[in-house]
Amino acid sequence: MGCRASKKTCQLEASKIETGAVPVVEPFRCTRRVLDRKTGKAFVEIIPDPVWALLKGLYTTAACGVVPAHPLRCCLRRLTQHAGRKMRSASTQKDIQKFIDIYRINMDEVLLPVSEFRSMNDFFTRELKPEARPIASPQEPGVFVSCADCRVIIFPSLEEATRLWIKGSKFSLTELLGAAAPPFLKGCSVVIFRLATQDYHRFHFPCGPGKVLQQINMPGEYYSVNPIAINHRKVDVLTENCRVVTTLKHPSFGQVAFAAVGATLIGSVELLAEAGAHFEKGDCFGYFQYGGSTCVVLTEPGAVAWDKDLLEASAHGLETYVKMGERMGVSPSWDNVVSF
């Protein structure tokens, strides 16, 4: 069964998502909690009921083995294309305030007033006021910061990442990075920055000063980046989804591999820095179009001494909510290391 056979199903699902009329399903409990780094307390993130229903149907039922099938890949691709067109339409401008209210977005942080945004996607890729996201130790090259507002989880090695989090049976770092795979993969740290729909969706350079060495665009699928999908053995989300892989060079951290990964309803990944460009820590690197997505960052073995609170939460399979610019770790050679 190919793409054509799934067209009717794709159109039906797209209309359900658009109207919010996904059929009622038996409620299921989401035990996925996120640790708020600022308060030290865990919370359950806000995910609309139609999205939960779709996630359950695709990834948590006995039928989830069909997810990799070509018709369903085609369906997800069509859904993403449909959502991308819709969210760029001026007709969605009226939905912006509702989105703000549902997700309790702090408009005091946003650079422009609501009236300046022409569509939902225009608002989704919004810029923040510079003071809204201060960069930790901006003049210190030995401090590594969060690249985004996100739920982050850190693994000191690939073995830990696959044991606790990434369950896709075919996952490998060479598959994730393709021809952009750097030479330091053995023993590298794996950091996953997951952006939810409500988050600020621009991502920034986590270290600096530095230089962009190379970039490779890798087309692919549009699976969800929700942990329900990433934690499933039958779905290789990170290595099959569309992504752009960049290699960065930094004097304190050596080479850093940065993969911006698209997902269901993500229209595209837009980068603002090309190969050969120089950057400072906290400079805007790019943004995701409408939806939630993920950045995966790999650092050389021992290049970053990660903050203990992040490592402890990650060791228990718990994501930590951090904001762009927050300190995540330091270079072991940095003279002014202070325990977090």
Side-chain angles (χ1 to χ4, degrees):
M1 188 182 297
C3 248
R4 292 175 62 86
S6 64
K7 183 175 182 179
K8 184 176 181 180
T9 301
C10 297
Q11 292 173 337
L12 175 63
E13 293 298 333
S15 65
K16 288 176 181 176
I17 288 180
E18 179 179 343
T19 61
V22 174
V24 176
V25 297
E26 180 183 349
F28 70 99
R29 296 190 179 204
C30 170
T31 57
R32 183 70 57 195
R33 297 183 305 158
V34 178
L35 182 68
D36 188 316
R37 193 182 198 188
K38 185 176 180 180
T39 65
K41 297 180 180 179
F43 67 92
V44 177
E45 63 185 341
I46 300 173
I47 300 179
D49 290 341
V51 177
W52 271 120
L54 188 62
L55 287 172
K56 181 184 179 184
L58 292 179
Y59 303 108
T60 68
T61 67
C64 73
V66 305
V67 170
H70 185 62
L72 195 47
R73 294 185 184 198
C74 178
C75 182
L76 291 175
R77 189 178 295 112
R78 287 177 180 272
L79 285 172
T80 296
Q81 293 167 346
H82 171 84
R85 288 192 297 270
K86 178 175 175 58
M87 293 306 167
R88 288 191 295 271
S89 169
S91 65
T92 60
Q93 185 180 38
K94 66 182 186 303
D95 299 323
I96 294 176
Q97 188 59 54
K98 184 187 299 183
F99 184 90
I100 293 170
D101 294 340
I102 290 174
Y103 290 114
R104 303 174 185 175
I105 294 171
N106 183 2
M107 289 302 295
D108 290 338
E109 297 179 338
V110 180
L111 184 62
L112 299 176
V114 175
S115 58
E116 293 293 319
F117 296 103
R118 296 162 296 178
S119 67
M120 180 61 77
N121 195 64
D122 197 21
F123 178 75
F124 190 76
T125 58
R126 62 193 177 277
E127 293 183 76
L128 300 184
K129 297 174 182 176
E131 63 271 20
R133 294 294 182 271
I135 307 301
S137 304
Q139 303 304 318
E140 296 291 349
V143 177
F144 198 97
V145 303
S146 174
C147 67
D149 285 12
C150 62
R151 295 110 181 90
V152 69
I153 193 162
I154 301 173
F155 301 104
S157 67
L158 174 61
E159 291 72 24
E160 281 294 288
T162 53
R163 181 176 71 83
L164 291 172
W165 197 254
I166 307 171
K167 299 300 183 180
S169 60
K170 299 178 182 178
F171 176 82
S172 73
L173 295 181
T174 52
E175 285 292 323
L176 170 70
L177 303 175
F184 61 79
L185 293 184
K186 186 175 182 180
C188 70
S189 291
V190 181
V191 188
I192 301 176
F193 302 84
R194 181 173 65 87
L195 288 68
T197 303
Q198 62 268 33
D199 290 326
Y200 163 63
H201 258 68
R202 290 179 178 253
F203 49 90
H204 298 246
F205 289 102
C207 54
K211 182 179 180 179
V212 177
L213 296 184
Q214 65 170 330
Q215 290 178 342
I216 295 180
N217 193 340
M218 302 178 68
E221 304 304 333
Y222 295 91
Y223 298 132
S224 169
V225 293
N226 187 278
I228 286 177
I230 290 179
N231 296 164
H232 207 289
R233 295 186 181 280
K234 294 185 178 180
V235 187
D236 288 285
V237 174
L238 298 179
T239 58
E240 292 196 48
N241 276 21
C242 59
R243 56 201 181 278
V244 181
V245 180
T246 304
T247 304
L248 311 176
K249 180 67 176 179
H250 186 270
S252 295
F253 302 110
Q255 288 192 27
V256 176
F258 191 113
V261 184
T264 305
L265 303 186
I266 287 289
S268 63
V269 179
E270 300 290 339
L271 297 186
L272 303 178
E274 300 179 344
H278 292 268
F279 59 85
E280 297 292 335
K281 178 168 54 179
D283 285 354
C284 189
F285 186 12
Y287 57 87
F288 294 107
Q289 303 280 8
Y290 185 84
S293 199
T294 288
C295 296
V296 182
V297 172
L298 309 179
T299 59
E300 294 186 16
V304 185
W306 302 105
D307 289 339
K308 291 182 180 179
D309 65 318
L310 299 178
L311 287 176
E312 289 174 359
S314 299
H316 291 87
L318 186 64
E319 296 170 297
T320 301
Y321 178 70
V322 299
K323 291 185 177 181
M324 193 283 290
E326 284 188 29
R327 171 182 145 159
M328 292 183 58
V330 297
S331 167
S333 62
W334 188 41
D335 294 335
N336 297 313
V337 173
V338 179
S339 297
F340 188 86

